[in-house]
Amino acid sequence: GKPDQLLVGLASLMGLALSGLVWVSELEEELQLRRTTEQVLTEQSQQLARVNREVEEFLAVASHDLATPVRNITDYVDFLRHDLPADLTPEIREDLAFIEQGAQRLEALVSGLVTFTRSQPHGMNIQLLDLADVVGEAIAHRRHQLIQVQSVVMRSGLSAVIAARAHLLQLLGILTHIC
């Protein structure tokens, strides 16, 4: 009778209470997981910002340190052309042209690095990117130029990177432009 109904009712209430405790426990676990994830993301974001600053500083110093020697190479090629007799052999002319073209490519790289370091807008969409996809896109943008100079781009073993897609494409464009 009544005691059995009371026991059944009490058992039902205890079951509800226990299921509520399980539900609260699951919520606490999920909340802790979210807190941990947020902490990891915050730490990674801070680390990425530090690495970006270091890269910017390195590129600024490297581009500045390379600019003067590159100009010197170009100037000395001009001096040699002026100082050497007009009847240079084709081999010497070719060698001077090769030196000059190499210096021009290096100058383009240095100039591109300077532009790159100065053009980093804040608030870029930094995300996890498949580097193979981004390199493929950069190659597609420069496909015509790469075909004209008969370049072959080898790529293998590329992994994922955390970067801003537009910024990475810009850097790859600079690098493929000097090839």
Side-chain angles (χ1 to χ4, degrees):
K2 278 217 181 234
D4 288 339
Q5 287 178 339
L6 282 175
L7 284 175
V8 170
L10 187 57
S12 292
L13 285 175
M14 287 178 68
L16 284 173
L18 286 176
S19 69
L21 287 176
V22 170
W23 185 70
V24 168
S25 175
E26 289 173 358
L27 283 177
E28 287 175 347
E29 287 177 17
E30 185 176 331
L31 184 58
Q32 182 59 38
L33 179 63
R34 285 183 185 208
R35 286 181 185 146
T36 302
T37 302
E38 286 177 9
Q39 181 181 358
V40 167
L41 288 174
T42 299
E43 290 170 4
Q44 288 178 342
S45 176
Q46 291 169 347
Q47 182 181 9
L48 182 60
R50 189 186 82 254
V51 168
N52 280 341
R53 282 191 305 276
E54 290 172 1
V55 167
E56 288 174 21
E57 290 171 12
F58 169 77
L59 290 175
V61 169
S63 64
H64 182 267
D65 288 350
L66 289 173
T68 301
V70 170
R71 268 187 254 112
N72 288 343
I73 292 169
T74 305
D75 290 346
Y76 278 105
V77 168
D78 288 341
F79 294 153
L80 286 172
R81 281 199 175 113
H82 183 265
D83 292 344
L84 292 173
D87 59 345
L88 296 175
T89 66
E91 291 84 15
I92 292 175
R93 288 181 195 278
E94 186 178 311
D95 290 344
L96 290 173
F98 181 78
I99 293 168
E100 192 169 47
Q101 289 168 358
Q104 288 169 349
R105 283 194 307 273
L106 189 53
E107 190 172 34
L109 174 62
V110 170
S111 176
L113 289 175
V114 169
T115 301
F116 180 77
T117 58
R118 291 181 181 160
S119 69
Q120 292 194 17
H122 299 287
M124 293 189 85
N125 185 17
I126 295 175
Q127 56 189 316
L128 183 64
L129 300 170
D130 181 345
L131 189 54
D133 289 344
V134 180
V135 168
E137 188 176 336
I139 291 170
H141 287 298
R142 296 262 185 208
R143 187 169 188 267
H144 183 69
Q145 291 94 337
L146 293 171
I147 289 171
Q148 281 183 326
V149 295
Q150 299 177 347
S151 291
V152 176
V153 179
M154 305 293 287
R155 55 186 171 152
S156 64
L158 300 176
S159 61
V161 295
I162 298 174
R165 182 178 207 87
H167 211 217
L168 189 55
L169 282 169
Q170 181 184 11
L171 179 60
L172 291 170
I174 292 167
L175 294 175
T176 57
H177 179 72
I178 63 163
C179 294

